[in-house]
Amino acid sequence: MSDQTILCEQSDSLLKITLNRPDKLNALTDVMLQELQAAFKKAAGDRSTRCVLLTGAGKGFCPGQDLANVQEMSRGGQPAYADHIRNNYNPLILAMTRLPKPIVAAINGVAAGAGMSLAMACDVRIASEKASFLQAFINIGLVPDSGSTWFLPRLVGRQRAMDLMLSGRKLSAAEALEWGLVNQVVPPEQLLEEATKTAVRYASAPTFAIGQLKRNLDYGESHALEETLALEAKSQQECGLSADHQEGMRAFLEKRTPVYKGE
Ligand code: T3D
């Protein structure tokens, strides 16, 4: 077994990142959080990466913070959670949501606490029938962090978010699909194949426009219609200048499939 806490594999334009502590369901350590942050930041500037696929090794996706490490975070007998979250989780979540490229999550097993936040920071979620989701924070007397408070009500509505956050209960993959938390549920043995198919499709899409639409969607969540309309117009102008738009137009007129280069 590899002792690397995350595995990064580049194949054509697709970067696959595997959380790699299978014996602990891929619980997050500081090393892992820093490596993940570095991998997403590198992917942002790397023209050869046009889509990221995130998954977990073994039977879990990610159960959040490694609780065995929590003692190491204390200062003078007091927990130092705020600094830990500010330095490790918040920059990672922002690196993911600001990545101007699509992120597909292949959720192979349980996603709990900050592990559920990681899944929600992805753009597309494909889950195994064996996956489950829990806002585990309340089970240990903590509040949702790493963006769960932001993502979950936006994805499933406040009432359902409140249910999961208050109860700390497990939501099955089937329920997650019904609630719109995941895009697709597949048998476990088909998960990687299906998620890779989707990720490969997005890795050959017009990457510049995808980056713009991710940013514009986030902007629209917190701005007025008038401001969002203004950003859309500016953004459309920029996309209009891209090589991929020219290719898309040519391909349409020539009645062929476009070949996008992500430029
Ligand atoms: O500053 C800060 O960092 C604070 C911020 C925190 C952010 C958070 O994420 S807080 C929430 C932390 N996560 C949890 O509270 C979840 C804890 N885990 C569980 O509730 C359960 O393990 C699961 C529901 C996720 C899965 O249950 P099950 O029955 O499928 O598996 P299991 O047997 O409980 O776990 C398998 C192994 O993984 C086991 O190790 P062992 O006994 O075989 O050596 C278990 O201890 C380990 N494991 C699971 N979750 C964690 C973990 N080890 C460390 N940290 C974990 N979070």
Side-chain angles (χ1 to χ4, degrees), residues 24-25 27 63-67 73 81 84-85 89 114 136-137 145:
K24 297 292 172 195
L25 307 177
Q65 171 64 33
D66 187 324
L67 297 176
M73 275 182 233
Y81 294 157
H84 188 250
I85 290 167
Y89 283 101
F137 309 91
D145 65 19

Side-chain angles (χ1 to χ4, degrees), residues 143-164:
V143 291
D145 65 19
S146 47
S148 270
T149 314
W150 197 90
F151 295 119
L152 193 55
R154 282 172 167 80
L155 287 166
V156 303
R158 184 185 164 100
Q159 203 60 34
R160 284 173 163 170
M162 187 67 96
D163 163 25
L164 288 191

Side-chain angles (χ1 to χ4, degrees), residues 180-196:
L181 183 62
V182 298
N183 302 71
Q184 195 183 346
V185 175
V186 297
E189 64 281 4
Q190 288 171 23
L191 177 68
L192 266 185
E193 190 188 329
E194 280 300 319
T196 305

